[in-house]
Amino acid sequence: MATIPEQYESQRVGVQGYRVLNLDLDGVCADYKGAIRDYLQRQGIDVPERALQTAHYNLTREDGWPFETLDDYIETHKAAEREHLYATMKPLPGVAQALQRLANEHVYIRIVTHRLFVSGQHQMVVSDTAQWLDSNRIPYMSLCFTGLKDSMQATIHIDDSPANIETLREAGQHVVVFDQPYNSTYAGPRIDSWSDTNVETLLTLFESCRSKGCAGGSCDSVRVTLVIGFRCGLCGRDYVSDRMICQLTARFLLSGLMILFWRPHDLKKSVPD
Ligand SMILES: [Mg+2]
C-alpha cells in the first residue's frame, strides 16, 4: 500500500489535510443526455443529435426532445432507470484515467450526485450507480446521494448544473465548471474535458487553494472580525463603537476597501470616555 505524504495524511480537510474533490456525475463523468436519447431511440422516438447541445439544463424547454411537461420527462426518466440507465450510460472520454491520476496524487474523491430526485426506485439507482463506477474503473472514497450540494464542503467541487454552481458559490465554495452548453455564461474556472492538461489545471487549483489557507471550503469564506471606526468631520475625534463590530469576509478585506479603516490601535487610544 502506497505511503500517504505527510501533508495529506491528516483527516482535517484543508491546509493540513486532505484535498477533497466533490464530484458530480451526470454531465460531468457520465453522458446522461446521450443515455436518455438512446433510450428514446429504442422506443422508436427519434431525437436529433443536435438536441444534445441544449441551451437549457431542463430538457422540457428544448427543441428535439419529446417532453411537453416535467411529468412527461419524469415518466421517461423513470422508465429509463428501470432499464438500468445508470448502470449502462457511457462515461465521458478519459474520465477514469483522469480521476485515477488525481487519486494517485492523494486527492480525496467524493462522488456527490442528485440521482435520487425521483422516488420509487432508489435501490436500483444506488446499486446501478455503484456498479457503473466499478465497471468503468472510477476511483472514489465516498458516494453521496444528495441534491443539497452546499451541505457538503470540499476543497473543490466540479459540477455542470447552473443551479448547483450558483448555490455553491453563494455558500463560498470553490466550483470548477464542467463545460456544457447550458453553463457557458458562468465564470470560470472551468474545464472542458478530462484531458491531461485539465488534470494539471485541477492540481494547480488544489495547491493554490491550500496555499491561500482554505479550511475545508473556500478561502473567501474565512471570517475575520473588524472593529470599524470613523473620524468625526466636525470635532476631528475618532470614534469606535461596540455596535459597529461586525464580521466581514476575507474577500472583502483583501479587496482593500476596508484597509483605510483598519487602524484598531490608533482608534482605541482615541475612544471618547
Ligand atoms: Mg450534473
Side-chain angles (χ1 to χ4, degrees):
M1 187 173 174
T3 304
I4 298 175
E6 186 179 354
Q7 68 267 36
Y8 303 137
E9 68 183 5
S10 164
Q11 291 194 18
R12 286 181 54 203
V13 176
V15 178
Q16 297 298 323
Y18 293 170
R19 297 172 300 175
V20 177
L21 170 60
N22 277 11
L23 182 66
D24 180 44
L25 284 181
D26 296 321
V28 172
C29 298
D31 181 12
Y32 174 81
K33 287 184 177 173
I36 290 288
R37 177 175 179 252
D38 289 346
Y39 169 79
L40 288 167
Q41 305 274 51
R42 290 197 297 275
Q43 309 310 309
I45 301 170
D46 185 47
V47 177
E49 191 166 354
R50 63 173 168 75
L52 295 173
Q53 300 301 311
T54 55
H56 300 100
Y57 187 75
N58 187 341
L59 293 182
T60 61
R61 300 176 61 186
E62 287 295 324
D63 288 342
W65 293 92
F67 308 124
E68 292 293 325
T69 66
L70 183 59
D71 285 345
D72 291 342
Y73 161 70
I74 294 292
E75 281 309 307
T76 296
H77 172 87
K78 289 182 74 169
E81 277 186 356
R82 288 192 290 274
E83 288 201 3
H84 299 286
L85 167 91
Y86 286 133
T88 57
M89 58 175 51
K90 294 185 182 75
L92 296 196
V95 62
Q97 297 91 327
L99 294 175
Q100 192 62 60
R101 187 166 165 216
L102 291 172
N104 290 343
E105 296 284 344
H106 307 284
V107 171
Y108 184 109
I109 297 171
R110 178 192 288 147
I111 305 290
V112 187
T113 176
H114 189 27
R115 286 183 172 180
L116 300 185
F117 73 99
V118 177
S119 61
Q121 299 173 165
H122 287 182
Q123 182 177 358
M124 178 182 291
V125 171
V126 172
S127 173
D128 284 356
T129 297
Q131 181 183 328
W132 184 88
L133 290 165
D134 283 349
S135 60
N136 286 288
R137 307 178 73 81
I138 305 284
Y140 64 98
M141 296 291 281
S142 305
L143 174 55
C144 307
F145 290 84
T146 179
L148 304 175
K149 299 206 171 182
D150 59 328
S151 66
M152 307 194 73
Q153 285 202 343
T155 318
I156 288 176
H157 304 248
I158 302 180
D159 213 298
D160 65 313
S161 152
N164 289 340
I165 294 164
E166 288 179 20
T167 301
L168 286 164
R169 286 181 171 169
E170 284 171 8
Q173 295 280 294
H174 289 292
V175 183
V176 173
V177 178
F178 196 91
D179 249 1
Q180 292 290 354
Y182 43 81
N183 64 32
S184 60
T185 59
Y186 287 84
R190 58 176 55 239
I191 56 175
D192 60 0
S193 70
W194 289 106
S195 67
D196 287 345
T197 304
N198 285 333
V199 172
E200 293 291 341
T201 299
L202 289 171
L203 288 169
T204 302
L205 285 170
F206 271 113
E207 286 313 302
S208 168
C209 186
R210 287 170 66 85
S211 65
K212 287 177 183 171
C214 305
S218 164
C219 307
D220 300 325
S221 65
V222 176
R223 292 192 177 275
V224 296
T225 300
L226 297 179
V227 180
I228 307 296
F230 62 94
R231 174 163 291 173
C232 174
L234 294 175
C235 67
R237 299 176 73 183
D238 289 330
Y239 291 88
V240 62
S241 168
D242 289 341
R243 286 176 298 177
M244 298 183 72
I245 294 176
C246 60
Q247 285 195 319
L248 299 171
T249 66
R251 174 187 290 178
F252 197 24
L253 175 65
L254 293 172
S255 75
L257 292 175
M258 299 306 298
I259 296 299
L260 293 174
F261 296 91
W262 184 235
R263 299 172 54 211
H265 299 299
D266 292 348
L267 289 167
K268 282 177 183 171
K269 283 181 204 165
S270 57
V271 173
D273 293 331

